[in-house]
Amino acid sequence: MPRPRAIIVLGILVALLVTGDASPTQAAGLRGRMLHSINRTRVNHHLHRLHLNVRLSHDARRHSRRMANRGGIYHTADLFQLVRRFGATNWGENVAQAGTVRRVKRSWMRSAPHRANVLRSSYHRAGVGLVRARGWLWVTVMFYG
């Protein structure tokens, strides 16, 4: 790698370490792990897998970023407005703050309303957005069918 390019790459890495935010590539990896974890649970309960909606995932990540910036967990106020453009007839949302994807899913499965969203057979698609900030993983999953 030429020296000027190496300096730029090093600068970007330092900036990421200072801010604590996951890069888009890391976020996509986390998103895939979260969806895989949810789908593994659904398959274990004899349900179909959810398909990722990339456009809705951008909205979900934006919501996760807002939660991280405000330092609190809350649901999307206009979820219907976000999912209706995809012809959704039913929808739900899970949000979380935890250290790992595994802990997020574990907490959802121990909560009846969150578990119901993960296991609802009428959901076929999901937008998944994760942000790592201040040592936490902030997660939004928007389900719809």
Side-chain angles (χ1 to χ4, degrees):
M1 181 180 302
R3 192 162 189 77
R5 187 172 178 193
I7 291 171
I8 291 170
V9 169
L10 181 60
I12 291 170
L13 289 173
V14 168
L16 287 172
L17 289 173
V18 170
T19 63
D21 194 8
S23 71
T25 303
Q26 289 170 322
L30 289 169
R31 180 178 68 193
R33 285 178 45 209
M34 187 78 250
L35 184 62
H36 176 75
S37 181
I38 290 169
N39 278 335
R40 189 172 54 238
T41 299
R42 289 176 63 86
V43 167
N44 288 342
H45 285 84
H46 309 288
L47 297 168
H48 59 272
R49 295 175 189 273
L50 296 174
H51 298 283
L52 182 69
N53 181 320
V54 175
R55 285 179 52 201
L56 189 60
S57 292
H58 293 294
D59 295 319
R61 188 166 196 276
R62 188 176 316 118
H63 183 72
S64 293
R65 164 61 48 214
R66 275 186 289 227
M67 291 191 303
N69 288 341
R70 293 181 187 173
I73 300 294
Y74 54 93
H75 287 279
T76 304
D78 59 348
L79 184 58
F80 171 67
Q81 296 301 321
L82 296 175
V83 298
R84 77 179 190 169
R85 63 187 167 178
F86 304 113
T89 57
N90 57 80
W91 54 90
E93 179 184 59
N94 284 1
V95 294
Q97 171 195 1
T100 65
V101 166
R102 184 177 183 185
R103 287 184 180 158
V104 168
K105 207 222 27 211
R106 188 181 315 146
S107 70
W108 286 346
M109 295 308 288
R110 291 178 178 169
S111 160
H114 295 95
R115 179 184 177 91
N117 276 340
V118 169
L119 298 177
R120 186 156 290 133
S121 64
S122 61
Y123 293 154
H124 296 280
R125 299 194 176 277
V128 181
L130 296 92
V131 171
R132 186 172 296 285
R134 292 190 247 130
W136 292 100
L137 193 59
W138 303 81
V139 182
T140 304
V141 178
M142 300 171 173
F143 303 92
Y144 71 96

